[in-house]
Amino acid sequence: MGEITNVTEYQAIAKEKLPKMVYDYYASGAEDQWTLAENRNAFSRILFRPRILIDVSKIDMTTTVLGFKISMPIMIAPTAMQKMAHPDGEYATARAASAAGTIMTLSSWATSSVEEVASTGPGIRFFQLYVYKDRNVVAQLVRRAERAGFKAIALTVDTPRLGRRESDIKNRFVLPPGLTLKNFEGLDLGKMDEANDSGLASYVAGQIDRTLSWKDVKWLQSITSMPILVKGVLTAEDARIAVQSGAAGIIVSNHGARQLDYVPSTIMALEEVVKGAQGRIPVFLDGGVRRGTDVFKALALGAAGIFIGRPVVFSLASEGEAGVRKVLQMLRDEFELTMALSGCRSLSEITRNHVVTEWDAPRGLPSARL
Ligand code: FNR
């Protein structure tokens, strides 16, 4: 294989390198995987309306997320169990994010603890939270994350039960020997038992709190001063409730198409969520972002930034920290080029009129919404 020139190429390399059980866990979506394909396909229904003859000799991609200045609106989504991809696991991801000047979100189900990730050095980090039935476990973990310097909680709200990922069932997915869900090790919840189906699905069924509701967002606010991002909103209705519940932000996410199949792609759900949030809190997006053009499209449709999931685990599997660095650099370079070729010099210059979507003019030719 020659030089890697785009983010997607890491997937094939990871497939070669990883045991089938691990690769399938990273790559899969739920059931028919319709939403998995749709998360990518939908981006191709959005085209550009580039503006010309604008001096683009200086491009500023910096932005501020929850008050934290970062180098670009491209951040790292929480993906579980990164040491299955590479022995350096979450350490490598944390270092790569930090070097790129952007935010890493650490999964509750990381194979490295919040303290271990903090020990890699400075960096702006968020902690993704799964709410366990045992609220003492949750409260302790949130406190540990805060003490370790994490800056926000991304509360995952789309997983009262685990989506049906058929390859995990066929492979009898379970955490490989030697690895644990490090954040829960001392709490006696770090192991995943083998099951007759997916070991992870059984773990979730046993430990995760299905009663989770909006009142728990208030509860979380009562136990931490970290701002809370609600991760997994797909409708305007829920965006409004998130605002009312005191969320600091929303992440439009379908969990990388791993939960409810046949939900729309996140890029198609984005605008209604942005409308529901009414500019009161920032709206972010994850799902299927693989190109700088995708980043630009998300921002044009109202996102304040995006997160990437699979590109991190695939590049980690291929080249460790260097791979994750390269993914962030490639996306950054592509996004900068997209801005230049669209005539945008800063993120605030990216507008709805820089794109036209299939749903703007369903029957006619693409036209602007001026
Ligand atoms: C995830 N995702 C996820 N989300 C979460 O809230 N907690 C988690 O532990 C995980 N773990 C996880 C593992 C793997 C292998 C994947 C692919 C995804 C979902 C993740 O945060 C994000 O929503 C999606 O990955 C975004 O889509 P892309 O970029 O993978 O297409």
Side-chain angles (χ1 to χ4, degrees):
M1 172 144 213
E3 188 192 347
I4 287 164
T5 53
N6 68 64
V7 163
T8 304
E9 287 175 343
Y10 278 115
Q11 180 157 359
I13 302 171
K15 187 171 188 179
E16 288 261 300
K17 280 204 163 181
L18 292 172
K20 179 176 160 53
M21 181 193 78
V22 172
Y23 173 78
D24 285 354
Y25 169 73
Y26 288 152
S28 298
E31 298 184 356
D32 295 335
Q33 307 191 99
W34 182 86
T35 298
L36 184 64
E38 182 68 5
N39 269 355
R40 284 296 307 132
N41 291 339
F43 279 107
S44 66
R45 294 182 210 123
I46 303 165
L47 304 179
F48 290 118
R49 298 184 68 252
R51 300 298 307 277
I52 52 160
L53 293 177
I54 294 165
D55 174 354
V56 291
S57 57
K58 289 196 186 68
I59 303 272
D60 178 9
M61 286 180 283
T62 61
T63 189
T64 301
V65 171
L66 303 180
F68 298 100
K69 182 129 192 226
I70 53 175
S71 64
M72 57 181 176
I74 301 165
M75 298 168 277
I76 297 187
T79 51
M81 304 175 244
Q82 295 182 357
K83 282 191 179 174
M84 297 192 306
H86 189 278
D88 298 341
E90 293 84 5
Y91 289 78
T93 305
R95 292 192 183 107
S98 185
T102 193
I103 292 166
M104 170 198 187
T105 315
L106 182 71
S107 168
S108 274
W109 294 338
T111 39
S112 316
S113 67
V114 287
E115 293 84 7
E116 287 173 334
V117 170
S119 78
T120 60
I124 303 156
R125 300 182 188 110
F126 294 169
F127 181 69
Q128 176 269 330
L129 185 67
Y130 280 127
V131 177
Y132 281 54
K133 290 174 182 169
D134 184 344
R135 293 303 173 89
N136 291 326
V137 165
V138 180
Q140 254 193 68
L141 186 53
V142 168
R143 264 196 300 273
R144 278 171 55 199
E146 197 160 2
R147 233 179 300 143
F150 284 70
K151 302 296 186 206
I153 294 287
L155 175 67
T156 301
V157 294
D158 56 16
T159 312
R161 298 172 59 178
L162 202 72
R164 197 173 161 80
R165 307 160 191 176
E166 292 182 11
S167 49
D168 293 351
I169 298 170
K170 287 187 208 299
N171 295 333
R172 303 272 187 269
F173 175 81
V174 70
L175 200 53
L179 298 180
T180 59
L181 304 179
K182 214 49 193 286
N183 288 315
F184 297 96
E185 210 175 44
L187 301 161
D188 231 25
L189 290 164
K191 289 252 166 24
M192 200 183 292
D193 294 327
E194 281 179 32
N196 283 329
D197 48 14
S198 156
L200 184 61
S202 301
Y203 181 86
V204 169
Q207 303 303 336
I208 299 302
D209 191 350
R210 293 184 193 179
T211 73
L212 193 71
S213 70
W214 286 109
K215 72 172 182 352
D216 296 306
V217 176
K218 295 271 180 217
W219 171 74
L220 256 187
Q221 285 165 337
S222 77
I223 65 162
T224 180
S225 54
M226 285 186 282
I228 296 164
L229 297 171
V230 179
K231 176 176 183 281
V233 171
L234 290 172
T235 63
E237 294 91 311
D238 284 335
R240 280 185 217 108
I241 308 175
V243 171
Q244 288 161 9
S245 304
I250 289 170
I251 305 174
V252 175
S253 173
N254 52 34
H255 210 116
R258 295 156 76 81
Q259 285 297 108
L260 180 62
D261 199 15
Y262 297 98
V263 293
S265 65
T266 50
I267 194 68
M268 286 192 73
L270 176 62
E271 276 199 294
E272 83 160 76
V273 175
V274 167
K275 287 198 180 103
Q278 294 184 298
R280 308 257 298 274
I281 53 175
V283 175
F284 304 93
L285 170 140
D286 73 31
V289 176
R290 302 291 180 265
R291 284 284 188 187
T293 52
D294 300 336
V295 180
F296 187 102
K297 289 170 183 180
L299 267 61
L301 295 178
I306 63 88
F307 293 83
I308 50 168
R310 290 182 186 82
V312 172
V313 287
F314 292 147
S315 58
L316 194 56
S318 308
E319 294 174 355
E321 181 187 333
V324 183
R325 280 181 187 242
K326 179 138 194 212
V327 155
L328 291 169
Q329 188 65 45
M330 285 190 294
L331 282 175
R332 180 188 174 86
D333 290 345
E334 287 178 3
F335 178 56
E336 183 181 41
L337 181 61
T338 307
M339 285 180 71
L341 297 180
S342 301
C344 298
R345 295 161 297 194
S346 67
L347 303 193
S348 62
E349 288 186 351
I350 301 176
T351 70
R352 184 61 171 83
N353 284 325
H354 286 92
V355 296
V356 57
T357 73
E358 244 178 31
W359 53 100
D360 288 335
R363 279 177 216 90
L365 288 167
S367 64
R369 304 195 330 166
L370 296 172

Coordinates of all heavy atoms in Angstrom, one line a residue, residues 105-142:
T105 N -12.8 13.0 23.8 CA -13.9 12.6 24.8 C -13.5 11.1 25.1 O -13.3 10.3 24.3 CB -15.3 12.6 24.1 OG1 -15.4 13.8 23.5 CG2 -16.3 12.4 25.2
L106 N -13.3 10.9 26.4 CA -13.0 9.5 26.9 C -14.3 8.8 27.2 O -15.1 9.3 27.9 CB -12.1 9.6 28.2 CG -11.6 8.3 28.7 CD1 -10.6 7.6 27.8 CD2 -11.1 8.4 30.1
S107 N -14.3 7.5 26.7 CA -15.5 6.7 27.0 C -15.5 6.2 28.4 O -14.5 5.9 29.0 CB -15.5 5.5 26.0 OG -16.4 4.5 26.4
S108 N -16.7 6.0 29.0 CA -16.9 5.3 30.3 C -16.2 4.0 30.2 O -15.6 3.5 31.1 CB -18.3 5.1 30.6 OG -18.9 6.2 31.2
W109 N -16.3 3.3 29.0 CA -15.9 2.0 28.8 C -14.5 1.9 28.3 O -14.1 1.0 27.5 CB -16.8 1.2 27.9 CG -18.2 1.0 28.5 CD1 -18.5 1.0 29.9 CD2 -19.4 0.7 27.8 NE1 -19.8 0.8 30.1 CE2 -20.4 0.6 28.8 CE3 -19.7 0.5 26.5 CZ2 -21.7 0.3 28.5 CZ3 -21.0 0.3 26.2 CH2 -22.0 0.2 27.2
A110 N -13.7 2.9 28.6 CA -12.3 2.9 28.1 C -11.5 1.8 28.8 O -11.9 1.4 29.9 CB -11.6 4.3 28.5
T111 N -10.4 1.4 28.2 CA -9.5 0.4 28.8 C -8.4 1.1 29.5 O -7.4 0.5 29.9 CB -9.0 -0.6 27.7 OG1 -8.8 0.2 26.4 CG2 -10.0 -1.6 27.4
S112 N -8.5 2.4 29.6 CA -7.6 3.2 30.5 C -8.5 4.1 31.4 O -9.5 4.5 30.9 CB -6.7 4.1 29.6 OG -6.2 3.4 28.5
S113 N -8.0 4.4 32.6 CA -8.9 5.1 33.5 C -8.7 6.6 33.3 O -7.8 7.1 32.6 CB -8.4 4.8 34.9 OG -7.1 5.3 35.2
V114 N -9.7 7.4 33.9 CA -9.6 8.8 33.8 C -8.3 9.3 34.3 O -7.7 10.2 33.7 CB -10.8 9.5 34.5 CG1 -12.1 9.3 33.7 CG2 -10.9 9.0 35.9
E115 N -7.8 8.7 35.4 CA -6.5 9.2 35.9 C -5.3 8.9 35.0 O -4.4 9.7 34.8 CB -6.2 8.5 37.3 CG -7.2 8.9 38.4 CD -8.5 8.1 38.4 OE1 -8.6 7.2 37.6 OE2 -9.4 8.5 39.2
E116 N -5.4 7.7 34.4 CA -4.3 7.3 33.5 C -4.3 8.3 32.3 O -3.2 8.7 31.8 CB -4.5 5.9 33.0 CG -4.1 4.9 34.1 CD -4.5 3.4 33.6 OE1 -5.4 3.2 32.8 OE2 -3.9 2.5 34.2
V117 N -5.4 8.6 31.7 CA -5.5 9.5 30.6 C -5.0 10.9 31.0 O -4.3 11.5 30.2 CB -6.9 9.5 29.9 CG1 -7.1 10.6 28.9 CG2 -7.2 8.1 29.3
A118 N -5.4 11.3 32.1 CA -5.0 12.6 32.6 C -3.4 12.7 32.7 O -2.8 13.7 32.5 CB -5.6 13.0 34.0
S119 N -2.8 11.5 33.1 CA -1.4 11.5 33.3 C -0.6 11.7 32.0 O 0.6 11.8 32.1 CB -1.0 10.2 34.0 OG -1.0 9.1 33.0
T120 N -1.2 11.6 30.9 CA -0.5 11.8 29.6 C -0.1 13.3 29.4 O 0.7 13.5 28.5 CB -1.4 11.4 28.4 OG1 -2.5 12.2 28.3 CG2 -1.8 9.9 28.4
G121 N -0.6 14.2 30.2 CA -0.2 15.6 30.1 C -1.4 16.5 29.8 O -2.5 16.0 29.9
P122 N -1.1 17.8 29.6 CA -2.2 18.7 29.4 C -3.0 18.4 28.2 O -2.6 17.8 27.2 CB -1.5 20.1 29.3 CG -0.1 19.8 28.9 CD 0.2 18.4 29.4
G123 N -4.3 18.9 28.2 CA -5.2 18.7 27.1 C -6.6 18.9 27.6 O -6.9 18.7 28.8
I124 N -7.4 19.3 26.7 CA -8.8 19.6 27.1 C -9.6 18.3 26.8 O -9.6 17.8 25.7 CB -9.4 20.7 26.3 CG1 -8.6 22.0 26.5 CG2 -10.9 21.0 26.7 CD1 -8.7 23.0 25.4
R125 N -10.2 17.7 27.9 CA -10.8 16.4 27.7 C -12.2 16.4 28.3 O -12.4 17.0 29.3 CB -10.0 15.3 28.4 CG -8.6 15.2 27.8 CD -7.7 14.2 28.4 NE -6.4 14.4 27.8 CZ -5.3 14.8 28.5 NH1 -5.4 15.0 29.8 NH2 -4.2 15.0 27.9
F126 N -13.1 15.7 27.6 CA -14.5 15.5 28.1 C -14.6 14.0 28.5 O -13.9 13.2 28.0 CB -15.5 15.8 27.0 CG -15.6 17.3 26.6 CD1 -16.3 17.6 25.5 CD2 -14.9 18.3 27.3 CE1 -16.3 19.0 25.1 CE2 -15.0 19.6 26.9 CZ -15.7 20.0 25.8
F127 N -15.5 13.8 29.4 CA -15.8 12.4 29.8 C -17.2 12.0 29.4 O -18.2 12.6 29.8 CB -15.6 12.3 31.4 CG -15.8 10.9 31.8 CD1 -14.9 9.9 31.5 CD2 -16.9 10.5 32.6 CE1 -15.1 8.6 31.9 CE2 -17.1 9.2 33.0 CZ -16.2 8.2 32.7
Q128 N -17.3 10.9 28.7 CA -18.6 10.3 28.3 C -19.1 9.5 29.4 O -18.4 8.6 29.9 CB -18.4 9.5 27.0 CG -19.7 8.8 26.5 CD -19.9 7.4 27.1 OE1 -18.9 6.8 27.3 NE2 -21.1 7.0 27.3
L129 N -20.4 9.7 29.7 CA -20.9 9.0 30.9 C -22.1 8.0 30.5 O -23.0 8.4 29.8 CB -21.5 10.0 31.9 CG -22.0 9.4 33.2 CD1 -20.9 8.8 34.0 CD2 -22.7 10.4 34.0
Y130 N -21.9 6.8 30.9 CA -23.0 5.8 30.9 C -23.5 5.8 32.3 O -22.7 5.6 33.3 CB -22.6 4.4 30.5 CG -22.5 4.3 29.0 CD1 -21.3 3.8 28.4 CD2 -23.5 4.6 28.1 CE1 -21.2 3.6 27.0 CE2 -23.4 4.4 26.7 CZ -22.2 3.9 26.2 OH -22.1 3.8 24.8
V131 N -24.8 5.9 32.5 CA -25.4 5.9 33.9 C -25.7 4.4 34.3 O -26.6 3.8 33.7 CB -26.6 6.8 34.0 CG1 -27.2 6.7 35.4 CG2 -26.2 8.2 33.6
Y132 N -25.0 4.0 35.3 CA -25.2 2.6 35.9 C -26.4 2.6 36.9 O -26.8 3.7 37.4 CB -23.9 2.2 36.6 CG -22.9 1.7 35.6 CD1 -22.4 2.5 34.6 CD2 -22.3 0.4 35.8 CE1 -21.5 2.0 33.7 CE2 -21.4 -0.1 34.9 CZ -20.9 0.7 33.9 OH -20.0 0.3 33.0
K133 N -27.0 1.5 37.1 CA -28.1 1.3 38.0 C -27.6 1.8 39.4 O -28.4 2.4 40.1 CB -28.5 -0.1 38.1 CG -29.2 -0.6 36.9 CD -29.6 -2.1 36.9 CE -30.2 -2.5 35.6 NZ -30.3 -4.0 35.5
D134 N -26.4 1.5 39.7 CA -25.8 1.9 41.0 C -25.3 3.3 40.9 O -24.3 3.6 40.4 CB -24.7 0.9 41.4 CG -24.1 1.2 42.8 OD1 -24.4 2.3 43.3 OD2 -23.4 0.3 43.3
R135 N -26.1 4.2 41.5 CA -25.8 5.6 41.3 C -24.6 6.1 42.1 O -23.9 7.1 41.8 CB -27.0 6.5 41.7 CG -28.1 6.4 40.8 CD -27.7 6.7 39.3 NE -28.8 6.4 38.4 CZ -29.8 7.3 38.1 NH1 -29.7 8.5 38.5 NH2 -30.7 6.9 37.2
N136 N -24.2 5.3 43.1 CA -23.0 5.6 43.9 C -21.7 5.4 42.9 O -20.8 6.2 43.0 CB -22.8 4.7 45.1 CG -23.8 5.0 46.1 OD1 -24.2 6.2 46.3 ND2 -24.3 4.0 46.8
V137 N -21.8 4.4 42.1 CA -20.8 4.1 41.1 C -20.6 5.3 40.2 O -19.5 5.8 39.9 CB -21.1 2.8 40.3 CG1 -20.2 2.8 39.0 CG2 -20.9 1.6 41.2
V138 N -21.8 5.8 39.7 CA -21.8 7.0 38.8 C -21.2 8.2 39.5 O -20.4 8.9 38.9 CB -23.2 7.3 38.3 CG1 -23.3 8.5 37.4 CG2 -23.8 6.0 37.6
A139 N -21.7 8.5 40.7 CA -21.3 9.7 41.4 C -19.8 9.7 41.6 O -19.1 10.7 41.4 CB -22.0 9.8 42.7
Q140 N -19.3 8.5 42.0 CA -17.8 8.4 42.3 C -17.0 8.6 41.0 O -16.0 9.3 41.0 CB -17.5 6.9 42.7 CG -17.2 6.8 44.2 CD -16.6 5.4 44.4 OE1 -15.5 5.0 44.0 NE2 -17.4 4.5 45.1
L141 N -17.5 8.0 39.9 CA -16.8 8.2 38.6 C -16.8 9.6 38.1 O -15.8 10.1 37.7 CB -17.4 7.2 37.6 CG -16.8 7.1 36.3 CD1 -15.3 6.8 36.4 CD2 -17.4 6.1 35.4
V142 N -17.9 10.3 38.3 CA -18.0 11.7 37.8 C -17.0 12.5 38.7 O -16.3 13.4 38.1 CB -19.5 12.2 38.0 CG1 -19.5 13.7 37.8 CG2 -20.3 11.5 36.9

